[in-house]
Each structure stands twice: as structure tokens, then as C-alpha cells.
Amino acid sequence: MSRIFVRFCVVLAAAGWMAVGPSAALAQPKPVVTSLGPDFPKTEIFIGNSFFYYNNSMHNHVLQLEKAADPDHKRDYHGTSATIGGSGLDWHDVESYFRPNAIGSYSFDDHNNVVFNKRDKLFDVAIMMDCSQCPIHPALKTVFTEFAKKDSDIVRAHGAKPVFFMSWAYADKPEMTAQLAEAYTVAGNENSALVIPAGLAFARALGKQPELRLHAADKRHPSLAGTYLAACTVFAALTGRSPIGNAYRAGIDEPTARFLQTVAWETVQDYYRK
């Protein structure tokens, strides 16, 4: 077992966050919102930073997973990424993302033709992520709390549901997992919002396969496998469907993709206590 994972387990055990198995790190308190069903969303905006836009953007991978799982309705799925490098939630003008005839008013089909969209509602959900340290940084965590509420209220005012994306720990700072999980779970509960446990999926995957490379060389951003794992976790959380066996693998070999799909599904089931 790697030193990093041993250190990670010690931190979680000391915080009272270890579940029965060594790879099943779960956040406490429990999330209040555990599903977006029965009317599961089909249109999403991802509001965040480079953690989202690395590797051709997470929204693209989530869309491919959704379309592969529901090919008869693939034209109903739409995704948009509104990202600023290094940004926290306070950098984003979320109100402006919902202005009419702007974001999402046109897109491109499978043959690279421009398609003009006419939707009754621009987005079903807004998936929001703060900067990688902001929710737990001494000088910035109050800003996270403030804007989590402010932006949730804005999203709801436009008929969409707010969703928080729990980001992952740096490769050399595994203790961030428990801290971020708590911060995002509390924010989700305070704002009656679903939380996507991507950070817990990273920890579970590395617990099972410590040699797996989920981070880029800077130890912060995701590798392609990391983006795919996070996308599978988003897919499972938003749709309530298992990603295991999904035909879309983002160019990752089948055994690795299936492992990541399985970890994403297990994490979502454990976090939501299903």
C-alpha cells in the first residue's frame, strides 16, 4: 500500500470518515439531496475552471456518456462549459449565463453543422465548482459559502437546479479529500443542492489502484483518466444510471475504463447511501 494512501486513510479515520472498507471513504454529514429524479436532467452548464476544461472539457465527456446510454434521445442532450482558468465561484457572473439568445443559442451537430436551438428552458442544471482550494482555504472558505448560496438562488430563479461538483485532492495532499468532501456536503445541504462526489471517486480509485495516474504532472489537474472518472461520476449522479459497460470510453482501454466506471458507480451509491 502506498505511503500516500496510508496517510489518506489515517486522516479520514481520525476525522471519523472511514466506512467499512478501506477504499470506501464517505463524507459526513450525509447529503440531504440524493437524486435529481424522476425527471432527470438533459441539459447542463458547467461553471468552474480548468479542472473542467482539461482534456477537451468534462461537459463533452458527460454528453458522450449520456448519448451512448440513451441513443434514441441523444439530440435531447446538451452541455455547455463556462470556465475561467484558476477561478472561484466569485469570479463568475452566473446571472449573465442565463441571459436570452446568448449561451446555448446555437451548437454543432455530429456533422459539424450549426444548429440553432429553441429550448423552453436553457438549462436543467448548473454544475458549479469553486477553485481547488477555495472551499477549505482560511481566507476564501467564507467566500465559497457566500457564493454557493448566491449562485444557487440565481440558478433556481431561472428554473434550473443548482448542483455542486466536489473536486479532488492534489496528488501530494490527500488530506484535502476529507476537507473538500465536508465543505461541499455542507454547502449542498445548506442550499438543498445535489453534490457530485468526484473527489471521493478519486480517493477510492487510488485506494484500489495506487499506481493509476489520475493527475497531470502538476499534481492538481486531471489526466484523461481523471477527467473520465469524474465524468462517469457526474453521469451516475445526474442520471441515476450506472456507467458500467457504457460504450463511450474516451479512448481509454476497456479494462481501465470499466474500472473507472465501476469506481464512479460505487462512489455515488455509497455517498448517497443507496
Side-chain angles (χ1 to χ4, degrees), residues 8 12 19 22-27 31 34 166-168 177 181 185 194-208 214 229-230 232-237 241-244 258-274:
F8 166 72
L12 290 187
S23 61
L26 302 176
T34 60
M166 180 200 300
S167 55
W168 50 83
T177 297
T185 302
L194 188 79
V195 177
I196 298 171
L200 295 178
F202 266 57
R204 181 185 288 265
L206 293 172
K208 290 174 179 260
L214 296 180
L229 172 59
C232 286
T233 308
V234 173
F235 169 85
R241 296 186 180 191
S242 170
I244 301 173
R258 191 172 185 87
F259 169 74
L260 297 172
Q261 293 169 352
T262 301
V263 166
W265 183 239
E266 290 175 350
T267 302
V268 166
Q269 293 295 99
D270 282 350
Y271 181 63
Y272 299 145
R273 303 293 201 273
K274 295 185 177 180

Side-chain angles (χ1 to χ4, degrees), residues 210-255:
E211 73 283 358
L212 191 63
R213 186 170 167 265
L214 296 180
H215 296 82
D218 64 6
K219 301 180 181 180
R220 292 184 293 124
H221 290 92
S223 66
L224 178 59
T227 291
Y228 184 72
L229 172 59
C232 286
T233 308
V234 173
F235 169 85
L238 292 187
T239 69
R241 296 186 180 191
S242 170
I244 301 173
N246 192 291
Y248 177 70
R249 302 199 299 266
I252 296 171
D253 65 90
E254 195 279 333

Side-chain angles (χ1 to χ4, degrees), residues 79-225:
T80 299
S81 183
T83 55
I84 305 170
S87 70
L89 289 177
D90 56 325
W91 291 24
H92 288 272
D93 181 2
V94 174
E95 178 68 40
S96 72
Y97 298 158
F98 287 87
R99 68 192 189 278
N101 302 315
I103 290 178
S105 61
Y106 55 85
S107 56
F108 301 87
D109 65 16
D110 293 341
H111 303 287
N112 292 327
N113 298 307
V114 174
V115 177
F116 293 95
N117 300 312
K118 295 181 179 180
R119 306 178 197 164
D120 294 334
K121 184 167 60 175
L122 192 56
F123 304 111
D124 294 326
V125 297
I127 302 168
M128 300 179 285
M129 173 176 54
D130 209 342
C131 85
S132 56
Q133 293 187 45
C134 289
I136 59 176
H137 191 279
L140 295 171
K141 59 185 180 180
T142 57
V143 179
F144 167 65
T145 300
E146 175 188 352
F147 278 83
K149 182 183 187 310
K150 177 181 177 181
D151 292 342
S152 292
D153 290 345
I154 291 171
V155 169
R156 283 199 173 93
H158 289 280
K161 295 180 180 179
V163 174
F164 294 121
F165 180 93
M166 180 200 300
S167 55
W168 50 83
Y170 298 170
D172 58 347
K173 296 184 183 297
E175 66 275 10
M176 289 175 64
T177 297
Q179 297 165 359
L180 288 166
E182 181 177 17
Y184 274 104
T185 302
V186 169
N189 290 350
E190 289 180 346
N191 294 284
S192 300
L194 188 79
V195 177
I196 298 171
L200 295 178
F202 266 57
R204 181 185 288 265
L206 293 172
K208 290 174 179 260
Q209 292 190 17
E211 73 283 358
L212 191 63
R213 186 170 167 265
L214 296 180
H215 296 82
D218 64 6
K219 301 180 181 180
R220 292 184 293 124
H221 290 92
S223 66
L224 178 59

